[in-house]
Amino acid sequence: MKGEDLKFVKDCIELSARSVAAGDAPFGSMVVLNGEIIGASENNASAKVSDHAEVIALHQAHEKMGHSNLVGATLYSNCEPCPMCAFMAREYKVSRVVYALRSPFMGGHSKWNIMEDDELQHFPPFFGPKPEVIGGLLEPEAKKIFDEFGLWMFGEDSKDELERRIKT
């Protein structure tokens, strides 16, 4: 973990709160290269289903850099990227992915291990090497917003919650 990781994850949590305030789901993401934010977004999936916060932030970084090779960059998110966002991170060749809240039912790291799939790196130029992945930073803080929004299926304890719901 780098010293700036907590700061940028906290910023993503704030973006997720702004996303909820704007009427969308609680997701926020940033792309950072050499300490500089080169992409940052709230979720926009209620308007366009593929406009996840990570996708928008990655596209912004692409536009700012003028290319799709984001080696050295870190993708931050308040929530584990879904499979679509995980593939995007691999295609943009980000070096690190850091997120707060785990997504055991839909995650591109914990459910479908796209982030650390060794085979993808054997298909250059489409995919970069597997990024370093750090999950669970500030998870309780991120979880509060999801709980307020009513999305119980995110977080480390969500499998326990599913069991409780099945029993009742």
Side-chain angles (χ1 to χ4, degrees):
M1 183 172 72
K2 295 183 177 179
E4 62 191 14
D5 288 346
L6 289 174
K7 177 208 178 309
F8 289 124
V9 168
K10 191 176 286 189
D11 290 346
C12 289
I13 293 169
E14 290 175 20
L15 283 170
S16 75
R18 287 188 3 208
S19 183
V20 170
D24 214 308
F27 299 96
S29 185
M30 305 175 100
V31 179
V32 176
L33 180 63
N34 299 324
E36 178 189 352
I37 298 167
I38 59 172
S41 184
E42 302 164 11
N43 211 51
N44 190 40
S46 64
K48 183 178 178 185
V49 71
S50 61
D51 275 357
H52 291 197
E54 295 92 341
V55 170
I56 296 169
L58 287 163
H59 287 326
Q60 289 174 353
H62 172 260
E63 289 177 16
K64 183 166 186 164
M65 301 303 293
H67 55 77
S68 60
N69 186 348
L70 299 177
V71 170
T74 300
L75 174 66
Y76 290 97
S77 183
N78 70 306
C79 185
E80 176 182 343
C82 73
M84 176 180 69
C85 297
F87 270 111
M88 295 284 296
R90 291 295 301 266
E91 288 193 60
Y92 273 114
K93 302 168 187 70
V94 299
S95 296
R96 299 176 72 238
V97 177
V98 180
Y99 62 86
L101 193 59
R102 298 175 201 285
S103 181
F105 297 107
M106 295 165 248
H109 180 234
S110 61
K111 175 71 173 181
W112 294 283
N113 194 12
I114 296 162
M115 291 293 182
E116 294 178 327
D117 185 330
D118 285 325
E119 293 176 356
L120 288 177
Q121 63 194 5
H122 298 294
F123 299 100
F126 304 108
F127 298 102
K130 62 182 184 178
E132 174 188 6
V133 180
I134 300 170
L137 266 66
L138 302 174
E139 184 165 324
E141 291 87 338
K143 179 84 169 135
K144 287 177 189 173
I145 296 168
F146 277 73
D147 288 345
E148 290 170 11
F149 193 77
L151 290 176
W152 62 267
M153 69 285 292
F154 293 88
E156 183 122 345
D157 60 352
S158 59
K159 296 266 184 175
D160 296 335
E161 177 63 15
L162 177 61
E163 287 296 320
R164 188 189 69 73
R165 288 172 181 258
I166 289 172
K167 289 177 183 177
T168 57

